[in-house]
Amino acid sequence: MNPNSFSSLPLSSACLANLNLLGYYEMTTIQAQSLPAVLQGRDLIAQAKTGSGKTAAFGLGILHKLNPSYFAVQALVLCPTRELADQVANELRRLARSAGNIKILTLTGGVPMRPQIASLEHGAHIVVGTPGRIRDHLGRATLNLGTVQTLVLDEADRMTDMGFYDEIAGIVSACPARRQTLLFSATYPDDIRRATAAFLRDPAEVTVQAQHDNSQIEQRFYEVGFDERNAAVGKLLKHFKPVSTLAFCNTKIHCRELAQTLREQGFSALALYGELEQRERDEILVLFSNKSCSVLVATDIAARGLDIQDLGAVINVDVSKDTEVHIHRIGRTGRGSGQGLALSLCAPNEKKWVKLIEQYQSGPVQWHPLSELDPDDGTAMAPLPAPMVTLAIMGGKKDKLRPGDLLGALTGDAGLTKEQVGKINVLEFMTYVALDRHAAKFAFERLNGGNPLGRDFGNIKGRSFKMRFIDAA
């Protein structure tokens, strides 16, 4: 038997069949090293980078011992950001398809408390949330953690960096002493080891080296003058033409400036940084993940927890002073079996940070001249617009809208093919639908056909909803 096969684990036949349907044919390194201990009920400290498959590593452990007929909170997963919490909850729902009617509830900040309280009144098996909002619910006595069997601290280093230690300690004290605790972290320095020691009992330790396969992620470094960075980003995008690019800047001011410069050059670009309102942040992430925005310019803090699939390239507009952060950044491309591209711009005074990267990865980086990107013969490619545009619909789960309703209206009344409809995100009060850029206007006009309420309304299932296009170009 293949030691990396999920069938080598004591999982149910229904769970194994579901994993096969999800395309999980073999365990990743972190899964193979941690799942045996997790399924035995041991506490765990696991060091692994984003995209290593850690959610399935703790998710399968949670589901293995969860009792669907016992309607109480049996597992709690703490995440540093709302975005990561949403992703973890969605992945757990996929993994739980074979386990009956498992209710997974997300409790994060940035949204009203009242709907969360109402959902808690109806019970849940698994809660995924951010430390601040979980503590709020504990303070209001709207959440009972007395039945938790498994506690997961996901990206523990990030939660500590963001100042959540006191909240985490309070949440841990609200859980039973007899529980399984699983701690996942990209890094595990001594200060975090000391701070979390009291949370764990005789933990197994697993470390998956935070390096990247050079055959899977191609790294290229370019030397630039400090005032050449923004122009160089445009050259990189025109040369390599990635469909989706995550560009990292060290400051929010630079994020805004670069995004504006790229839009002036014809790119679909948006900036993501701290202090944005939650609604703006949600909308930006929807546009980037559904390919209505080609370039997302972000700070490291704002990009924490993002897990965008099929990311063509990462551009380090500023070299990070922290080698772990550099590894974390470039690990967002080349996920799974895909090929990735990591491009780094470096001013002369930043070469000392590149030296640290070379020491960390035990080898020299590959330098390339910027001149190879711009032939100066008039053949430089113009930027391609994002392949999709997003239709925002003023209605969501509260209006009983479902993805199938939207797909039916767009492929029926609006005359689109399934291939012309992209990702559909149905939120509480809003719905975002990605449409093929070349067919979007036609589809809107068909949905609007003869509507007496005016041009800004469309018809879905016989009901009129206010609609508007959002375009990052």
Side-chain angles (χ1 to χ4, degrees):
M1 179 181 291
N2 182 350
N4 289 328
S5 170
F6 284 100
S7 59
S8 65
L9 301 172
L11 299 172
S12 69
S13 57
C15 179
L16 292 172
N18 182 48
L19 288 170
N20 197 56
L21 286 174
L22 294 174
Y24 287 15
Y25 303 119
E26 285 193 351
M27 290 184 280
T28 64
T29 305
I30 187 62
Q31 292 161 3
Q33 292 188 19
S34 63
L35 268 168
V38 171
L39 295 174
Q40 290 170 11
R42 288 195 64 181
D43 284 8
L44 177 75
I45 297 169
Q47 280 184 255
K49 63 185 176 69
T50 299
S52 59
K54 57 183 178 170
T55 304
F58 62 74
L60 291 172
I62 288 172
L63 295 169
H64 181 67
K65 63 181 178 183
L66 189 139
N67 180 0
S69 63
Y70 179 39
F71 217 60
V73 179
Q74 298 173 52
L76 171 64
V77 183
L78 288 179
C79 302
T81 66
R82 176 183 178 182
E83 291 72 32
L84 182 60
D86 286 338
Q87 289 159 16
V88 167
N90 288 333
E91 179 66 8
L92 290 177
R93 291 185 184 103
R94 281 162 34 95
L95 293 170
R97 286 175 186 168
S98 63
N101 189 23
I102 304 297
K103 184 175 178 182
I104 299 168
L105 189 59
T106 308
L107 301 178
T108 62
V111 295
M113 288 284 286
R114 189 175 298 277
Q116 294 182 351
I117 293 171
S119 295
L120 283 167
E121 289 173 350
H122 291 96
H125 294 99
I126 302 170
V127 168
V128 184
T130 48
R133 183 51 62 97
I134 297 294
R135 279 301 302 270
D136 287 346
H137 279 289
L138 290 174
R140 293 168 181 253
T142 52
L143 174 64
N144 178 14
L145 299 180
T147 52
V148 166
Q149 301 176 52
T150 307
L151 170 65
V152 179
L153 305 179
D154 194 11
E155 295 203 2
D157 54 344
R158 298 301 178 195
M159 287 194 287
T160 303
D161 288 347
M162 294 166 74
F164 284 135
Y165 178 79
D166 289 342
E167 284 90 344
I168 294 170
I171 292 165
V172 171
S173 67
C175 297
R178 293 183 61 82
R179 65 172 189 276
Q180 182 181 29
T181 303
L182 309 175
L183 188 151
F184 287 78
S185 190
T187 61
Y188 199 58
D190 290 341
D191 57 339
I192 296 180
R193 181 178 291 275
R194 289 190 296 270
T196 57
F199 304 160
L200 300 145
R201 293 178 303 163
D202 185 29
E205 291 200 37
V206 170
T207 300
V208 176
Q209 186 66 27
Q211 297 283 359
H212 302 289
D213 187 344
N214 290 334
S215 66
Q216 195 166 337
I217 299 177
E218 180 184 2
Q219 283 202 70
R220 288 169 165 251
F221 282 73
Y222 298 88
E223 184 173 346
V224 296
F226 186 79
D227 57 354
E228 296 177 314
R229 290 181 197 272
N230 291 358
V233 173
K235 290 181 180 180
L236 291 170
L237 293 170
K238 289 177 183 178
H239 182 83
F240 291 103
K241 297 185 283 295
V243 175
S244 294
T245 302
L246 183 54
F248 284 100
C249 296
N250 287 347
T251 68
K252 66 181 180 182
I253 293 173
H254 194 185
C255 282
R256 290 197 296 258
E257 289 176 349
L258 177 56
Q260 179 62 34
T261 299
L262 292 175
R263 285 194 295 271
E264 290 170 356
Q265 294 179 23
F267 293 98
S268 301
L270 292 170
L272 183 70
Y273 48 87
E275 301 172 22
L276 284 175
E277 291 185 8
Q278 193 65 48
R279 180 192 59 78
E280 292 178 282
R281 183 179 176 85
D282 290 344
E283 200 164 270
I284 288 168
L285 292 174
V286 165
L287 293 178
F288 187 59
S289 65
N290 72 14
K291 294 184 169 53
S292 295
C293 165
S294 297
V295 187
L296 182 62
V297 186
T299 59
D300 288 300
I301 291 176
R304 283 176 183 165
L306 297 188
D307 187 16
I308 306 297
Q309 300 300 314
D310 303 320
L311 190 59
V314 166
I315 299 179
N316 295 306
V317 186
D318 300 301
V319 175
S320 174
K321 299 176 183 179
D322 186 329
T323 52
E324 289 280 0
V325 169
H326 176 82
I327 296 298
H328 202 67
R329 284 177 176 183
I330 69 172
R332 296 171 184 277
T333 185
R335 295 288 179 90
S337 58
Q339 290 296 118
L341 184 63
L343 310 168
S344 298
L345 301 176
C346 176
N349 66 332
E350 293 175 323
K351 285 194 172 182
K352 55 182 176 291
W353 310 122
V354 178
K355 289 290 184 186
L356 293 178
I357 293 169
E358 290 179 323
Q359 291 172 18
Y360 189 86
Q361 63 186 27
S362 302
V365 302
Q366 300 300 312
W367 291 96
H368 294 262
L370 267 177
S371 58
E372 73 180 13
L373 306 178
D374 189 357
D376 290 326
D377 59 3
T379 63
M381 289 288 293
L384 296 173
M388 314 296 277
V389 294
T390 294
L391 183 64
I393 301 166
M394 313 308 167
K397 293 177 183 177
K398 293 295 185 183
D399 302 287
K400 302 295 191 292
L401 280 183
R402 297 173 300 178
D405 300 330
L406 278 301
L407 185 61
L410 291 164
T411 56
D413 297 340
L416 297 182
T417 65
K418 287 184 179 179
E419 291 73 25
Q420 290 173 315
V421 182
K423 195 171 181 180
I424 299 175
N425 296 82
V426 182
L427 309 182
E428 287 298 307
F429 305 103
M430 288 285 295
T431 297
Y432 299 95
V433 186
L435 302 176
D436 182 284
R437 178 173 292 275
H438 302 294
K441 185 177 179 181
F442 168 78
F444 184 88
E445 289 173 352
R446 289 286 296 269
L447 282 178
N448 174 255
N451 193 316
L453 294 175
R455 290 188 56 204
D456 294 335
F457 284 80
N459 192 294
I460 301 169
K461 293 184 66 179
R463 299 166 61 194
S464 290
F465 291 92
K466 191 171 178 63
M467 300 180 177
R468 64 185 172 92
F469 278 119
I470 309 174
D471 197 348

